[in-house]
PDB file of all heavy atoms in Angstrom:
ATOM      1  N   THR A 248      57.563  19.320  79.644  1.00 92.00           N
ATOM      2  CA  THR A 248      58.190  17.965  79.291  1.00 92.00           C
ATOM      3  C   THR A 248      57.068  16.904  79.535  1.00 92.00           C
ATOM      4  O   THR A 248      55.899  17.216  79.981  1.00 92.00           O
ATOM      5  CB  THR A 248      59.309  17.673  80.246  1.00 92.00           C
ATOM      6  OG1 THR A 248      58.889  17.616  81.594  1.00 92.00           O
ATOM      7  CG2 THR A 248      60.392  18.719  80.138  1.00 92.00           C
ATOM      8  N   SER A 249      57.366  15.744  79.191  1.00 93.00           N
ATOM      9  CA  SER A 249      56.416  14.570  79.408  1.00 93.00           C
ATOM     10  C   SER A 249      56.106  14.396  80.881  1.00 93.00           C
ATOM     11  O   SER A 249      55.027  13.821  81.230  1.00 93.00           O
ATOM     12  CB  SER A 249      56.927  13.339  78.814  1.00 93.00           C
ATOM     13  OG  SER A 249      58.130  12.947  79.440  1.00 93.00           O
ATOM     14  N   SER A 250      56.969  14.831  81.800  1.00 92.00           N
ATOM     15  CA  SER A 250      56.675  14.689  83.190  1.00 92.00           C
ATOM     16  C   SER A 250      55.959  15.871  83.773  1.00 92.00           C
ATOM     17  O   SER A 250      55.739  16.002  84.996  1.00 92.00           O
ATOM     18  CB  SER A 250      58.008  14.465  83.977  1.00 92.00           C
ATOM     19  OG  SER A 250      58.879  15.545  83.750  1.00 92.00           O
ATOM     20  N   GLY A 251      55.559  16.930  82.980  1.00 91.00           N
ATOM     21  CA  GLY A 251      54.804  18.007  83.451  1.00 91.00           C
ATOM     22  C   GLY A 251      55.552  19.226  83.961  1.00 91.00           C
ATOM     23  O   GLY A 251      55.061  20.018  84.716  1.00 91.00           O
ATOM     24  N   ILE A 252      56.845  19.310  83.622  1.00 93.00           N
ATOM     25  CA  ILE A 252      57.714  20.415  84.099  1.00 93.00           C
ATOM     26  C   ILE A 252      57.865  21.438  82.952  1.00 93.00           C
ATOM     27  O   ILE A 252      58.246  21.096  81.866  1.00 93.00           O
ATOM     28  CB  ILE A 252      59.043  19.899  84.490  1.00 93.00           C
ATOM     29  CG1 ILE A 252      58.916  18.826  85.664  1.00 93.00           C
ATOM     30  CG2 ILE A 252      60.027  21.022  85.001  1.00 93.00           C
ATOM     31  CD1 ILE A 252      58.409  19.364  86.905  1.00 93.00           C
ATOM     32  N   SER A 253      57.539  22.677  83.298  1.00 93.00           N
ATOM     33  CA  SER A 253      57.639  23.786  82.321  1.00 93.00           C
ATOM     34  C   SER A 253      58.871  24.605  82.604  1.00 93.00           C
ATOM     35  O   SER A 253      59.274  24.836  83.708  1.00 93.00           O
ATOM     36  CB  SER A 253      56.415  24.697  82.480  1.00 93.00           C
ATOM     37  OG  SER A 253      56.381  25.688  81.526  1.00 93.00           O
ATOM     38  N   GLU A 254      59.576  25.062  81.620  1.00 94.00           N
ATOM     39  CA  GLU A 254      60.848  25.873  81.761  1.00 94.00           C
ATOM     40  C   GLU A 254      60.557  27.263  81.272  1.00 94.00           C
ATOM     41  O   GLU A 254      59.920  27.482  80.153  1.00 94.00           O
ATOM     42  CB  GLU A 254      61.981  25.208  81.007  1.00 94.00           C
ATOM     43  CG  GLU A 254      63.284  25.935  81.208  1.00 94.00           C
ATOM     44  CD  GLU A 254      64.420  25.276  80.483  1.00 94.00           C
ATOM     45  OE1 GLU A 254      64.258  24.331  79.741  1.00 94.00           O
ATOM     46  OE2 GLU A 254      65.566  25.866  80.633  1.00 94.00           O
ATOM     47  N   ILE A 255      60.972  28.205  82.016  1.00 93.00           N
ATOM     48  CA  ILE A 255      60.883  29.657  81.733  1.00 93.00           C
ATOM     49  C   ILE A 255      62.153  30.310  81.909  1.00 93.00           C
ATOM     50  O   ILE A 255      62.799  30.158  82.958  1.00 93.00           O
ATOM     51  CB  ILE A 255      59.775  30.300  82.601  1.00 93.00           C
ATOM     52  CG1 ILE A 255      58.490  29.581  82.458  1.00 93.00           C
ATOM     53  CG2 ILE A 255      59.652  31.786  82.278  1.00 93.00           C
ATOM     54  CD1 ILE A 255      57.431  29.999  83.507  1.00 93.00           C
ATOM     55  N   LYS A 256      62.657  31.087  80.981  1.00 95.00           N
ATOM     56  CA  LYS A 256      63.866  31.837  81.075  1.00 95.00           C
ATOM     57  C   LYS A 256      63.574  33.280  81.026  1.00 95.00           C
ATOM     58  O   LYS A 256      62.907  33.733  80.112  1.00 95.00           O
ATOM     59  CB  LYS A 256      64.878  31.417  79.987  1.00 95.00           C
ATOM     60  CG  LYS A 256      65.474  30.043  80.160  1.00 95.00           C
ATOM     61  CD  LYS A 256      66.543  29.815  79.149  1.00 95.00           C
ATOM     62  CE  LYS A 256      67.109  28.383  79.401  1.00 95.00           C
ATOM     63  NZ  LYS A 256      68.265  28.122  78.602  1.00 95.00           N
ATOM     64  N   ILE A 257      64.058  34.056  82.037  1.00 93.00           N
ATOM     65  CA  ILE A 257      63.734  35.466  82.074  1.00 93.00           C
ATOM     66  C   ILE A 257      65.089  36.234  82.243  1.00 93.00           C
ATOM     67  O   ILE A 257      65.918  35.892  83.140  1.00 93.00           O
ATOM     68  CB  ILE A 257      62.854  35.839  83.249  1.00 93.00           C
ATOM     69  CG1 ILE A 257      61.559  35.016  83.182  1.00 93.00           C
ATOM     70  CG2 ILE A 257      62.570  37.314  83.319  1.00 93.00           C
ATOM     71  CD1 ILE A 257      60.636  35.205  84.346  1.00 93.00           C
ATOM     72  N   GLU A 258      65.299  37.243  81.400  1.00 93.00           N
ATOM     73  CA  GLU A 258      66.460  38.143  81.563  1.00 93.00           C
ATOM     74  C   GLU A 258      66.035  39.329  82.369  1.00 93.00           C
ATOM     75  O   GLU A 258      65.019  39.993  81.972  1.00 93.00           O
ATOM     76  CB  GLU A 258      67.022  38.562  80.206  1.00 93.00           C
ATOM     77  CG  GLU A 258      67.762  37.469  79.482  1.00 93.00           C
ATOM     78  CD  GLU A 258      68.367  37.911  78.214  1.00 93.00           C
ATOM     79  OE1 GLU A 258      68.442  39.124  77.941  1.00 93.00           O
ATOM     80  OE2 GLU A 258      68.705  37.019  77.407  1.00 93.00           O
ATOM     81  N   VAL A 259      66.692  39.661  83.438  1.00 91.00           N
ATOM     82  CA  VAL A 259      66.277  40.761  84.350  1.00 91.00           C
ATOM     83  C   VAL A 259      67.518  41.713  84.477  1.00 91.00           C
ATOM     84  O   VAL A 259      68.608  41.289  84.664  1.00 91.00           O
ATOM     85  CB  VAL A 259      65.925  40.139  85.700  1.00 91.00           C
ATOM     86  CG1 VAL A 259      65.565  41.268  86.717  1.00 91.00           C
ATOM     87  CG2 VAL A 259      64.774  39.227  85.628  1.00 91.00           C
ATOM     88  N   GLU A 260      67.167  42.985  84.424  1.00 90.00           N
ATOM     89  CA  GLU A 260      68.130  44.008  84.763  1.00 90.00           C
ATOM     90  C   GLU A 260      68.020  44.475  86.155  1.00 90.00           C
ATOM     91  O   GLU A 260      66.939  44.830  86.643  1.00 90.00           O
ATOM     92  CB  GLU A 260      67.884  45.188  83.814  1.00 90.00           C
ATOM     93  CG  GLU A 260      68.961  46.213  83.813  1.00 90.00           C
ATOM     94  CD  GLU A 260      68.640  47.273  82.842  1.00 90.00           C
ATOM     95  OE1 GLU A 260      68.265  47.005  81.676  1.00 90.00           O
ATOM     96  OE2 GLU A 260      68.818  48.498  83.157  1.00 90.00           O
ATOM     97  N   THR A 261      69.109  44.368  86.952  1.00 87.00           N
ATOM     98  CA  THR A 261      69.087  44.753  88.336  1.00 87.00           C
ATOM     99  C   THR A 261      70.418  45.276  88.772  1.00 87.00           C
ATOM    100  O   THR A 261      71.438  45.114  88.149  1.00 87.00           O
ATOM    101  CB  THR A 261      68.679  43.499  89.198  1.00 87.00           C
ATOM    102  OG1 THR A 261      68.501  43.858  90.524  1.00 87.00           O
ATOM    103  CG2 THR A 261      69.686  42.393  89.078  1.00 87.00           C
ATOM    104  N   GLU A 262      70.389  45.956  89.992  1.00 85.00           N
ATOM    105  CA  GLU A 262      71.650  46.395  90.580  1.00 85.00           C
ATOM    106  C   GLU A 262      72.438  45.168  91.115  1.00 85.00           C
ATOM    107  O   GLU A 262      71.833  44.180  91.666  1.00 85.00           O
ATOM    108  CB  GLU A 262      71.335  47.418  91.660  1.00 85.00           C
ATOM    109  CG  GLU A 262      70.678  48.623  91.197  1.00 85.00           C
ATOM    110  CD  GLU A 262      71.569  49.522  90.319  1.00 85.00           C
ATOM    111  OE1 GLU A 262      72.765  49.536  90.466  1.00 85.00           O
ATOM    112  OE2 GLU A 262      70.967  50.169  89.405  1.00 85.00           O
ATOM    113  N   ALA A 263      73.752  45.363  91.155  1.00 78.00           N
ATOM    114  CA  ALA A 263      74.586  44.191  91.585  1.00 78.00           C
ATOM    115  C   ALA A 263      74.258  43.876  93.038  1.00 78.00           C
ATOM    116  O   ALA A 263      74.299  42.639  93.400  1.00 78.00           O
ATOM    117  CB  ALA A 263      76.066  44.573  91.379  1.00 78.00           C
ATOM    118  N   GLU A 264      74.007  44.797  93.883  1.00 82.00           N
ATOM    119  CA  GLU A 264      73.796  44.543  95.295  1.00 82.00           C
ATOM    120  C   GLU A 264      72.436  43.974  95.627  1.00 82.00           C
ATOM    121  O   GLU A 264      72.188  43.433  96.645  1.00 82.00           O
ATOM    122  CB  GLU A 264      74.022  45.786  96.197  1.00 82.00           C
ATOM    123  CG  GLU A 264      73.151  46.930  95.780  1.00 82.00           C
ATOM    124  CD  GLU A 264      73.693  47.902  94.742  1.00 82.00           C
ATOM    125  OE1 GLU A 264      74.785  47.639  94.244  1.00 82.00           O
ATOM    126  OE2 GLU A 264      73.051  48.892  94.467  1.00 82.00           O
ATOM    127  N   ASN A 265      71.532  43.973  94.608  1.00 82.00           N
ATOM    128  CA  ASN A 265      70.168  43.528  94.838  1.00 82.00           C
ATOM    129  C   ASN A 265      69.958  42.061  94.301  1.00 82.00           C
ATOM    130  O   ASN A 265      68.853  41.512  94.446  1.00 82.00           O
ATOM    131  CB  ASN A 265      69.118  44.403  94.139  1.00 82.00           C
ATOM    132  CG  ASN A 265      69.072  45.778  94.735  1.00 82.00           C
ATOM    133  OD1 ASN A 265      69.417  45.971  95.925  1.00 82.00           O
ATOM    134  ND2 ASN A 265      68.655  46.778  93.966  1.00 82.00           N
ATOM    135  N   VAL A 266      70.946  41.488  93.707  1.00 84.00           N
ATOM    136  CA  VAL A 266      70.793  40.067  93.166  1.00 84.00           C
ATOM    137  C   VAL A 266      70.474  39.116  94.193  1.00 84.00           C
ATOM    138  O   VAL A 266      69.521  38.340  94.021  1.00 84.00           O
ATOM    139  CB  VAL A 266      72.072  39.747  92.304  1.00 84.00           C
ATOM    140  CG1 VAL A 266      71.988  38.317  91.873  1.00 84.00           C
ATOM    141  CG2 VAL A 266      72.260  40.631  91.153  1.00 84.00           C
ATOM    142  N   LYS A 267      71.180  39.055  95.305  1.00 86.00           N
ATOM    143  CA  LYS A 267      70.948  38.105  96.294  1.00 86.00           C
ATOM    144  C   LYS A 267      69.549  38.224  96.918  1.00 86.00           C
ATOM    145  O   LYS A 267      68.844  37.294  97.209  1.00 86.00           O
ATOM    146  CB  LYS A 267      72.015  38.146  97.425  1.00 86.00           C
ATOM    147  CG  LYS A 267      73.349  37.606  96.952  1.00 86.00           C
ATOM    148  CD  LYS A 267      74.392  37.638  98.044  1.00 86.00           C
ATOM    149  CE  LYS A 267      75.669  37.101  97.549  1.00 86.00           C
ATOM    150  NZ  LYS A 267      76.734  37.064  98.623  1.00 86.00           N
ATOM    151  N   LYS A 268      69.126  39.484  97.122  1.00 88.00           N
ATOM    152  CA  LYS A 268      67.851  39.752  97.689  1.00 88.00           C
ATOM    153  C   LYS A 268      66.718  39.311  96.707  1.00 88.00           C
ATOM    154  O   LYS A 268      65.803  38.669  97.117  1.00 88.00           O
ATOM    155  CB  LYS A 268      67.682  41.272  97.940  1.00 88.00           C
ATOM    156  CG  LYS A 268      66.323  41.646  98.533  1.00 88.00           C
ATOM    157  CD  LYS A 268      66.280  43.154  98.700  1.00 88.00           C
ATOM    158  CE  LYS A 268      64.844  43.606  99.083  1.00 88.00           C
ATOM    159  NZ  LYS A 268      64.683  44.945  99.022  1.00 88.00           N
ATOM    160  N   LEU A 269      66.901  39.483  95.423  1.00 86.00           N
ATOM    161  CA  LEU A 269      65.911  39.141  94.414  1.00 86.00           C
ATOM    162  C   LEU A 269      65.781  37.587  94.331  1.00 86.00           C
ATOM    163  O   LEU A 269      64.761  37.029  94.362  1.00 86.00           O
ATOM    164  CB  LEU A 269      66.295  39.666  92.990  1.00 86.00           C
ATOM    165  CG  LEU A 269      65.459  39.302  91.842  1.00 86.00           C
ATOM    166  CD1 LEU A 269      64.055  39.824  92.059  1.00 86.00           C
ATOM    167  CD2 LEU A 269      66.050  39.731  90.536  1.00 86.00           C
ATOM    168  N   ILE A 270      66.911  36.941  94.378  1.00 87.00           N
ATOM    169  CA  ILE A 270      66.864  35.434  94.362  1.00 87.00           C
ATOM    170  C   ILE A 270      66.252  34.873  95.599  1.00 87.00           C
ATOM    171  O   ILE A 270      65.429  34.006  95.552  1.00 87.00           O
ATOM    172  CB  ILE A 270      68.330  34.906  94.266  1.00 87.00           C
ATOM    173  CG1 ILE A 270      68.925  35.277  92.870  1.00 87.00           C
ATOM    174  CG2 ILE A 270      68.383  33.426  94.439  1.00 87.00           C
ATOM    175  CD1 ILE A 270      70.431  35.024  92.676  1.00 87.00           C
ATOM    176  N   LYS A 271      66.467  35.458  96.752  1.00 89.00           N
ATOM    177  CA  LYS A 271      65.818  34.996  97.942  1.00 89.00           C
ATOM    178  C   LYS A 271      64.331  35.183  97.920  1.00 89.00           C
ATOM    179  O   LYS A 271      63.580  34.262  98.311  1.00 89.00           O
ATOM    180  CB  LYS A 271      66.430  35.752  99.157  1.00 89.00           C
ATOM    181  CG  LYS A 271      65.879  35.290 100.481  1.00 89.00           C
ATOM    182  CD  LYS A 271      66.628  36.079 101.587  1.00 89.00           C
ATOM    183  CE  LYS A 271      66.079  35.603 102.918  1.00 89.00           C
ATOM    184  NZ  LYS A 271      66.637  36.389 104.098  1.00 89.00           N
ATOM    185  N   GLU A 272      63.930  36.323  97.431  1.00 88.00           N
ATOM    186  CA  GLU A 272      62.448  36.565  97.250  1.00 88.00           C
ATOM    187  C   GLU A 272      61.806  35.573  96.264  1.00 88.00           C
ATOM    188  O   GLU A 272      60.680  35.037  96.500  1.00 88.00           O
ATOM    189  CB  GLU A 272      62.168  38.035  96.786  1.00 88.00           C
ATOM    190  CG  GLU A 272      62.506  39.043  97.838  1.00 88.00           C
ATOM    191  CD  GLU A 272      62.316  40.462  97.332  1.00 88.00           C
ATOM    192  OE1 GLU A 272      62.049  40.677  96.144  1.00 88.00           O
ATOM    193  OE2 GLU A 272      62.523  41.372  98.231  1.00 88.00           O
ATOM    194  N   LEU A 273      62.482  35.299  95.220  1.00 88.00           N
ATOM    195  CA  LEU A 273      61.960  34.392  94.191  1.00 88.00           C
ATOM    196  C   LEU A 273      61.888  32.932  94.685  1.00 88.00           C
ATOM    197  O   LEU A 273      61.026  32.161  94.417  1.00 88.00           O
ATOM    198  CB  LEU A 273      62.820  34.406  92.948  1.00 88.00           C
ATOM    199  CG  LEU A 273      62.696  35.736  92.144  1.00 88.00           C
ATOM    200  CD1 LEU A 273      63.669  35.721  90.968  1.00 88.00           C
ATOM    201  CD2 LEU A 273      61.254  35.896  91.609  1.00 88.00           C
ATOM    202  N   LYS A 274      62.904  32.543  95.523  1.00 89.00           N
ATOM    203  CA  LYS A 274      62.824  31.202  96.124  1.00 89.00           C
ATOM    204  C   LYS A 274      61.669  31.038  97.032  1.00 89.00           C
ATOM    205  O   LYS A 274      61.105  29.974  97.200  1.00 89.00           O
ATOM    206  CB  LYS A 274      64.135  30.931  96.907  1.00 89.00           C
ATOM    207  CG  LYS A 274      65.295  30.571  95.951  1.00 89.00           C
ATOM    208  CD  LYS A 274      66.496  30.198  96.677  1.00 89.00           C
ATOM    209  CE  LYS A 274      67.660  29.853  95.743  1.00 89.00           C
ATOM    210  NZ  LYS A 274      68.869  29.464  96.368  1.00 89.00           N
ATOM    211  N   ASN A 275      61.218  32.129  97.687  1.00 89.00           N
ATOM    212  CA  ASN A 275      60.018  32.002  98.525  1.00 89.00           C
ATOM    213  C   ASN A 275      58.758  31.890  97.714  1.00 89.00           C
ATOM    214  O   ASN A 275      57.793  31.294  98.145  1.00 89.00           O
ATOM    215  CB  ASN A 275      59.889  33.335  99.399  1.00 89.00           C
ATOM    216  CG  ASN A 275      60.946  33.375 100.496  1.00 89.00           C
ATOM    217  OD1 ASN A 275      61.405  32.332 100.910  1.00 89.00           O
ATOM    218  ND2 ASN A 275      61.283  34.538 100.944  1.00 89.00           N
ATOM    219  N   VAL A 276      58.769  32.478  96.460  1.00 87.00           N
ATOM    220  CA  VAL A 276      57.642  32.334  95.556  1.00 87.00           C
ATOM    221  C   VAL A 276      57.528  30.899  94.971  1.00 87.00           C
ATOM    222  O   VAL A 276      56.491  30.293  94.926  1.00 87.00           O
ATOM    223  CB  VAL A 276      57.625  33.373  94.452  1.00 87.00           C
ATOM    224  CG1 VAL A 276      56.630  33.120  93.412  1.00 87.00           C
ATOM    225  CG2 VAL A 276      57.534  34.778  95.043  1.00 87.00           C
ATOM    226  N   ILE A 277      58.756  30.390  94.596  1.00 87.00           N
ATOM    227  CA  ILE A 277      58.718  29.080  93.939  1.00 87.00           C
ATOM    228  C   ILE A 277      59.054  28.017  95.016  1.00 87.00           C
ATOM    229  O   ILE A 277      60.192  27.784  95.402  1.00 87.00           O
ATOM    230  CB  ILE A 277      59.818  29.043  92.846  1.00 87.00           C
ATOM    231  CG1 ILE A 277      59.575  30.157  91.850  1.00 87.00           C
ATOM    232  CG2 ILE A 277      59.930  27.722  92.230  1.00 87.00           C
ATOM    233  CD1 ILE A 277      60.718  30.294  90.834  1.00 87.00           C
ATOM    234  N   LYS A 278      58.022  27.334  95.446  1.00 83.00           N
ATOM    235  CA  LYS A 278      58.220  26.310  96.465  1.00 83.00           C
ATOM    236  C   LYS A 278      58.419  24.953  95.883  1.00 83.00           C
ATOM    237  O   LYS A 278      59.087  24.079  96.326  1.00 83.00           O
ATOM    238  CB  LYS A 278      57.018  26.302  97.426  1.00 83.00           C
ATOM    239  CG  LYS A 278      56.884  27.693  98.208  1.00 83.00           C
ATOM    240  CD  LYS A 278      55.866  27.625  99.253  1.00 83.00           C
ATOM    241  CE  LYS A 278      55.624  28.936  99.890  1.00 83.00           C
ATOM    242  NZ  LYS A 278      56.437  30.054  99.791  1.00 83.00           N
TER     243      LYS A 278
END
Side-chain angles (χ1 to χ4, degrees):
T248 63
S249 60
S250 59
I252 301 296
S253 181
E254 184 178 3
I255 302 165
K256 291 188 179 187
I257 303 174
E258 288 182 16
V259 177
E260 187 175 319
T261 186
E262 296 294 328
E264 59 271 2
N265 294 336
V266 173
K267 289 183 180 183
K268 180 182 173 190
L269 177 64
I270 294 169
K271 185 177 178 181
E272 290 175 357
L273 291 174
K274 284 184 179 181
N275 289 334
V276 172
I277 302 173
K278 297 188 185 350

